[in-house]
Amino acid sequence: MAAYNRNFELSVEDLDIIEAALRDKKRELSEQAHDNHRAVNEGLHLCEETTEEVRVIHDLLGRLHNQKVFFRPRCQTYIGG
C-alpha cells in the first residue's frame, strides 16, 4: 500500500505562489457565492458548496500563515506596524 510523502522540499517562493493562487481562487469563489446569493433563481445548493470551498481554502491559508516564522529583532525594541 502506498504511503504519503511527509517531507516536502518547497522554497519560500513556491509557498508564495501557492498562497497567491489560493487567495485568487478564494476571491473568485467569494465573488461567485455573492453573485449566487443575489440571483434567486440559481440553486442554493451550488452556493452552499461554494461557501464550503471558501471555508476550506481560508482554513488552509490560516494554517500556512501559522507556520511562518516572522522576524523580530532580539537586541532592539520591537516596533510593529
Side-chain angles (χ1 to χ4, degrees):
M1 179 176 226
Y4 290 107
N5 179 9
R6 297 201 177 266
N7 298 319
F8 291 95
E9 295 181 15
L10 297 173
S11 68
V12 174
E13 292 80 16
D14 295 338
L15 288 174
D16 283 341
I17 292 169
I18 292 168
E19 280 186 282
L22 286 170
R23 281 192 205 102
D24 287 345
K25 183 66 173 178
K26 181 181 171 187
R27 182 176 1 92
E28 177 186 311
L29 289 171
S30 294
E31 290 172 357
Q32 181 182 357
H34 181 70
D35 291 343
N36 286 344
H37 278 297
R38 291 193 314 180
V40 177
N41 58 356
E42 301 258 346
L44 184 61
H45 183 66
L46 176 62
C47 183
E48 289 173 359
E49 289 176 357
T50 303
T51 303
E52 180 60 28
E53 193 171 352
V54 169
R55 264 189 227 125
V56 169
I57 292 172
H58 184 77
D59 181 55
L60 177 56
L61 284 169
R63 285 185 281 140
L64 285 172
H65 175 79
N66 290 339
Q67 292 183 28
K68 292 180 181 179
V69 177
F70 294 95
F71 173 74
R72 184 177 210 131
R74 297 190 188 273
C75 300
Q76 303 168 350
T77 304
Y78 175 71
I79 300 173

